[in-house]
């Protein structure tokens, strides 16, 4: 489901949000929302690495995906996050006509660009992503920069997707997510012991 959000500040994934968004259409397999919004996350960081290094998340314009999947421990949440991000990288690579490699949960675009500090870089980080397990429910966020903007780190890559490309990209990821979580659930039901 594509929703409206003025800004992503990290608070959406500090709680379970699926029922709030989907009400009686909430899926037992898992739920995803997508929205286009700037990011400014300083107070609601979940990532301990970012907190310890006084880091932040900033983007002038980004595609944001937040998901909730029941019955996943922390390891399962991370495994699904990396599966989802790998698929997002495949979809995005075609749209920006550049190779993307995974570095943990990060999507790294292999293309020369000029960073926010004015220097040419051969590789740029186009994503931010985090997930965790809350009461045995995976809650996560992955965002892709459209325009990283001047407040983003020097290594932040901008996709510069058009409005039409953004909408198509959001729907492509939502469709993949919904198919994948349902298919994984079906796979759990066809065991013969």
């Amino acid at each position: 489901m594509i929703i409206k959000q003025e800004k992503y500040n990290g608070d959406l994934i500090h709680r379970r949000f699926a029922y709030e968004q989907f009400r009686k259409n909430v899926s037992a397999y898992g739920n995803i929302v997508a929205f286009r919004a700037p990011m400014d996350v300083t107070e609601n960081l979940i990532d301990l690495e970012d907190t310890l290094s006084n880091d932040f998340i900033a983007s002038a314009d980004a595609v944001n995906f937040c998901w909730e999947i029941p019955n996943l421990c922390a390891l399962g949440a991370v495994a699904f996050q990396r599966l989802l991000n790998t698929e997002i990288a495949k979809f995005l690579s075609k749209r920006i006509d550049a190779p993307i490699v995974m570095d943990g949960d990060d999507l790294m675009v292999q293309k020369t660009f000029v960073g926010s500090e004015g220097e040419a870089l051969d590789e740029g980080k186009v994503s931010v992503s985090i997930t965790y397990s809350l009461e045995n429910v995976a809650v996560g966020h992955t965002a892709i920069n459209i325009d990283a903007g001047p407040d983003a780190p020097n290594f932040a890559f901008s996709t510069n997707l058009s409005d039409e490309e953004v909408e198509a990209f959001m729907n492509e990821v939502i469709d993949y997510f919904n198919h994948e979580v349902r298919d994984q659930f079906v796979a759990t039901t066809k065991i013969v012991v």
Side-chain angles (χ1 to χ4, degrees):
M1 167 188 297
I2 297 175
I3 64 171
K4 294 281 185 200
Q5 189 96 348
E6 294 300 314
K7 180 184 280 189
Y8 181 76
N9 66 7
D11 68 342
L12 184 61
I13 64 167
H14 276 261
R15 64 190 188 288
R16 294 186 60 185
F17 62 86
Y19 181 77
E20 181 182 333
Q21 298 297 327
F22 292 90
R23 302 294 171 147
K24 292 189 183 230
N25 293 320
V26 71
S27 169
Y29 313 124
N31 298 273
I32 189 170
V33 295
F35 54 92
R36 181 178 182 171
M39 293 186 293
D40 181 12
V41 183
T42 52
E43 300 297 318
N44 293 311
L45 287 168
I46 292 176
D47 191 330
L48 182 59
E49 181 180 14
D50 290 343
T51 303
L52 292 174
S53 63
N54 291 321
D55 213 347
F56 61 93
I57 297 169
S59 180
D61 190 12
V63 177
N64 294 269
F65 300 101
C66 295
W67 68 89
E68 182 178 306
I69 306 171
N71 303 316
L72 283 180
C73 66
L75 184 61
V78 170
F80 188 86
Q81 171 200 33
R82 291 185 180 195
L83 173 67
L84 178 62
N85 286 359
T86 299
E87 289 302 311
I88 289 173
K90 288 178 188 176
F91 298 147
L92 186 61
S93 179
K94 292 176 188 171
R95 293 193 180 282
I96 65 172
D97 194 29
I100 299 175
V101 297
M102 298 300 300
D103 182 7
D105 60 11
D106 295 326
L107 284 71
M108 306 301 291
V109 177
Q110 308 300 295
K111 185 176 186 176
T112 302
F113 74 105
V114 177
S116 61
E117 296 174 7
E119 65 182 279
L121 302 169
D122 293 330
E123 175 182 79
K125 183 178 170 194
V126 73
S127 65
V128 296
S129 189
I130 192 70
T131 191
Y132 69 106
S133 185
L134 175 66
E135 299 167 357
N136 207 38
V137 174
V139 180
H141 171 250
T142 295
I144 303 297
N145 290 324
I146 299 167
D147 175 13
D151 296 329
N154 188 47
F155 55 78
F157 183 92
S158 297
T159 61
N160 298 308
L161 296 174
S162 70
D163 293 344
E164 295 78 22
E165 289 173 315
V166 167
E167 182 144 352
F169 177 57
M170 286 193 292
N171 284 314
E172 187 174 35
V173 172
I174 290 168
D175 290 346
Y176 166 77
F177 176 94
N178 289 328
H179 171 78
E180 184 63 37
V181 294
R182 185 179 188 289
D183 193 56
Q184 286 186 23
F185 175 78
V186 169
T188 68
T189 68
K190 54 186 185 181
I191 309 297
V192 178
V193 180

